[in-house]
Amino acid sequence: MHCFWKTMILLVFTSVAIHYTAFRTLPSSPFNLYQFSSFQNYSLWGQEKAPPQEPEPAGGAGDDPYLSNVTRKTHILILAATRTGSSFFSQLLNQHQEVFFLFEPIYHVHSAALLKSDSHMIRDTRQQLLRSLYNCDLYALENHIVPRPANHMTRRLFRRGMSRALCHRPVCEAFGPTDFDVYEWDCVNKCGPLNMTLAKDACQESPHVVIKTVRVRHIEEVRGLVEDPQLNVKVIQLVRDARGVISSRMETFTQSYNPWHVWKKTGQKPDNFNLHTIKDVCNDSYSSVLTALAKPHWLKGKYMLVRYEDLARNPLQKTKEIYDFLGLPMDKSVRDWISANTQVRNVLQTRVKFGTSRNSTANAESWRLRLGYDMVEYMQTVCGKPLLQLGYKTVNSMEQLRNMSLSLVEDMTFEPFL
Ligand SMILES: *[C@@H]1O[C@H](CO)[C@@H](O)[C@H](O)[C@H]1NC(C)=O
Ligand SMILES: *[C@@H]1O[C@H](CO)[C@@H](O)[C@H](O)[C@H]1NC(C)=O
Ligand SMILES: *[C@@H]1O[C@H](CO)[C@@H](O)[C@H](O)[C@H]1NC(C)=O
Ligand SMILES: *[C@@H]1O[C@H](CO)[C@@H](O)[C@H](O)[C@H]1NC(C)=O
Ligand SMILES: *[C@@H]1O[C@H](CO)[C@@H](O)[C@H](O)[C@H]1NC(C)=O
């Protein structure tokens, strides 16, 4: 409850001008964020103290009686890095009435081994879990939830309130189809424990299953899923200017980004400056994106890259393109959600949780007013090549950095790989 109010207060103060950060504003970290910056720790709902757990093999899909029918479904995977706007992006699919959405289920794949090394075993476990979830075998998730659910009931599903399907009938009686865009904490408070059986049934009824994760390090990791003929996987990868990502992470994960804050305050790069933070953005996540952009045959027809800045610039148009790629009609709920959450008017009223202003282009580049030029210059040196390839322009002076009438986002079209 304590954390809840802290979150509420922070929300009020921070939500208008910034992109969605609401639930990530309480950094406290048992994990070393320098090494595992995508393994953030969420303080909300007291789930952060879940002890490392040895993963058991996730339930196989081999004997799933629904397997014969799953090829009719679309299995959508949203891959992103932390602070690239993935929560906002997720909502563009989550709001669709025919989508069963899971927000970051791989959070539950905790283990001491995972924190020490990104071993093949853990990667296999993640992929296995994703496969089970696409087959709507939600019980497979129970192996990873702490404490283990009894009678298929749990309060511990990570960020359950981010999923429309898990907060509405028939899974939760508190909200029906006319309850548009239920707040995350309303869902958690009013829906009570989650009946995994009901969730499983709802998943089976849904034509499309969407999973969002920041915990798949490299797209190669999910090649097995993409190539699985029994699934119909489509991958959407979300990318953002590394300079914006770092700036946003500095605000969200104050503690672990302390050296950056010291740098900003003193104007001098601290001696103990740790490269891990930047490596995660510039090498690991960009490496995944650049691999996909090289069009490996196994991604043919199944991959689309989305730049966060393009989405911010023109949410409706970009969302249409995404739905076209997926081969789904965009429904009214999605359109309504976009108009409710991308206009200043409404942000000031009730829709604070995904505050993107109508001037979202300026908003997506607001990091330019927050970072010192030396920091930006440093990032440009370390990330130069991928920044260029993704159409992010570098600056040569403080004047260019702060001159907002000069966009640093090049017009670039990333066609889906068809
Ligand atoms: C598979 O689809 C068919 C035709 O839509 C339906 O009759 C059948 O009940 C489905 N099977 C399962 C296990 O859902
Ligand atoms: C969960 O839902 C299933 C399916 O409706 C039901 O049979 C079961 O009794 C429910 N479990 C609990 C503990 O209410
Ligand atoms: C990160 O990427 C850059 C440019 O591609 C490369 O020069 C550098 O060696 C990489 N660093 C690490 C630690 O992998
Ligand atoms: C966007 O920002 C500019 C300058 O900050 C302002 O002049 C303009 O009115 C804003 N547009 C909207 C739609 O708010
Ligand atoms: C900002 O950039 C614009 C477009 O390049 C330029 O016309 C203008 O003079 C610049 N403003 C300043 C203050 O440098």
Side-chain angles (χ1 to χ4, degrees):
M1 218 48 196
H2 183 63
C3 288
F4 174 75
W5 286 111
K6 263 178 34 187
T7 305
M8 286 288 279
I9 291 161
L10 273 164
L11 248 182
V12 171
F13 286 104
T14 59
S15 55
V16 175
I18 56 175
H19 300 287
Y20 174 67
T21 59
F23 291 98
R24 296 178 172 185
T25 43
L26 298 169
S28 72
S29 67
F31 306 144
N32 180 349
L33 292 173
Y34 289 108
Q35 287 175 37
F36 300 102
S37 55
S38 63
F39 289 87
Q40 330 135 18
N41 165 48
Y42 297 83
S43 306
L44 210 62
W45 324 132
Q47 287 173 324
E48 78 283 12
K49 292 276 154 59
Q53 183 196 11
E54 202 60 46
E56 298 161 29
D63 48 4
D64 190 326
Y66 292 89
L67 209 52
S68 54
N69 280 0
V70 295
T71 41
R72 293 185 288 114
K73 292 196 178 201
T74 321
H75 304 104
I76 300 159
L77 184 62
I78 304 171
L79 293 184
T82 313
R83 308 307 304 164
T84 52
S86 61
S87 298
F88 174 78
F89 182 77
S90 296
Q91 292 304 314
L92 301 172
L93 295 169
N94 177 43
Q95 295 299 327
H96 197 285
Q97 296 299 310
E98 295 194 328
V99 158
F100 183 87
F101 176 74
L102 290 171
F103 185 95
E104 208 60 70
I106 306 177
Y107 170 86
H108 292 287
V109 185
H110 277 291
S111 78
L114 174 65
L115 294 175
K116 286 204 196 81
S117 73
D118 202 22
S119 72
H120 283 291
M121 184 186 73
I122 302 299
R123 252 174 277 178
D124 288 350
T125 305
R126 288 206 285 257
Q127 183 163 242
Q128 184 69 252
L129 179 63
L130 286 173
R131 182 177 275 111
S132 302
L133 295 176
Y134 280 133
N135 286 316
C136 294
D137 176 14
L138 266 71
Y139 292 165
L141 200 48
E142 295 184 356
N143 297 331
H144 305 281
I145 295 176
V146 181
R148 198 192 159 89
N151 303 319
H152 303 302
M153 297 291 286
T154 183
R155 287 183 185 276
R156 293 301 181 122
L157 182 73
F158 180 62
R159 313 252 344 234
R160 176 242 181 121
M162 289 296 282
S163 168
R164 184 193 50 77
L166 297 182
C167 299
H168 283 77
R169 283 198 281 275
V171 178
C172 165
E173 288 300 323
F175 301 101
T178 54
D179 293 303
F180 175 70
D181 199 14
V182 171
Y183 279 88
E184 183 171 8
W185 55 87
D186 276 348
C187 171
V188 172
N189 289 338
K190 294 187 185 159
C191 289
L194 175 66
N195 182 333
M196 295 292 268
T197 308
L198 287 177
K200 186 169 172 276
D201 294 346
C203 177
Q204 270 153 359
E205 294 294 315
S206 295
H208 312 293
V209 182
V210 180
I211 298 176
K212 173 256 166 179
T213 184
V214 296
R215 284 168 174 74
V216 167
R217 293 259 145 164
H218 199 285
I219 195 165
E220 286 275 4
E221 262 188 52
V222 292
R223 179 169 175 175
L225 287 183
V226 173
E227 290 184 325
D228 188 337
Q230 293 185 309
L231 295 177
N232 177 23
V233 174
K234 300 211 169 172
V235 181
I236 301 177
Q237 199 164 25
L238 188 66
V239 74
R240 182 180 180 186
D241 189 322
R243 296 164 294 185
V245 172
I246 293 283
S247 172
S248 176
R249 287 185 185 180
M250 278 174 68
E251 287 183 14
T252 311
F253 312 114
T254 334
Q255 266 175 353
S256 37
Y257 276 69
N258 189 46
W260 288 86
H261 285 282
V262 171
W263 187 355
K264 188 175 167 183
K265 216 183 281 172
T266 63
Q268 295 229 312
K269 190 165 110 188
D271 292 337
N272 64 347
F273 193 77
N274 196 323
L275 267 175
H276 280 117
T277 43
I278 190 104
K279 187 180 168 294
D280 177 63
V281 186
C282 294
N283 292 53
D284 302 349
S285 76
Y286 280 165
S287 155
S288 177
V289 171
L290 298 179
T291 298
L293 286 183
K295 302 194 172 183
H297 64 88
W298 56 275
L299 277 178
K300 191 167 163 55
K302 294 168 176 288
Y303 178 82
M304 181 175 187
L305 179 79
V306 175
R307 287 192 308 186
Y308 170 66
E309 293 81 0
D310 292 329
L311 198 61
R313 216 182 261 188
N314 201 341
L316 196 60
Q317 175 58 33
K318 203 68 209 171
T319 307
K320 275 195 192 111
E321 288 170 31
I322 290 159
Y323 273 94
D324 283 350
F325 160 68
L326 295 172
L328 313 180
M330 183 168 139
D331 71 7
K332 184 174 176 300
S333 324
V334 175
R335 244 179 252 112
D336 289 350
W337 191 88
I338 292 173
S339 71
N341 286 278
T342 57
Q343 291 177 22
V344 178
R345 176 170 49 87
N346 288 329
V347 169
L348 293 176
Q349 286 164 8
T350 53
R351 303 287 169 203
V352 290
K353 68 175 177 165
F354 294 97
T356 52
S357 75
R358 195 193 302 222
N359 254 344
S360 41
T361 309
N363 214 338
E365 289 193 54
S366 61
W367 58 268
R368 295 169 60 183
L369 302 174
R370 290 197 293 268
L371 297 178
Y373 175 66
D374 49 349
M375 298 166 91
V376 170
E377 194 182 29
Y378 171 76
M379 279 186 254
Q380 290 177 173
T381 312
V382 183
C383 310
K385 211 172 134 193
L387 279 179
L388 208 69
Q389 277 173 280
L390 294 167
Y392 299 122
K393 295 180 206 165
T394 52
V395 291
N396 303 316
S397 67
M398 182 69 157
E399 288 68 39
Q400 280 182 3
L401 177 64
R402 299 281 194 253
N403 186 344
M404 298 303 279
S405 54
L406 191 80
S407 174
L408 297 185
V409 184
E410 208 176 299
D411 284 329
M412 232 167 135
T413 313
F414 294 93
E415 299 285 354
F417 175 26
L418 297 177

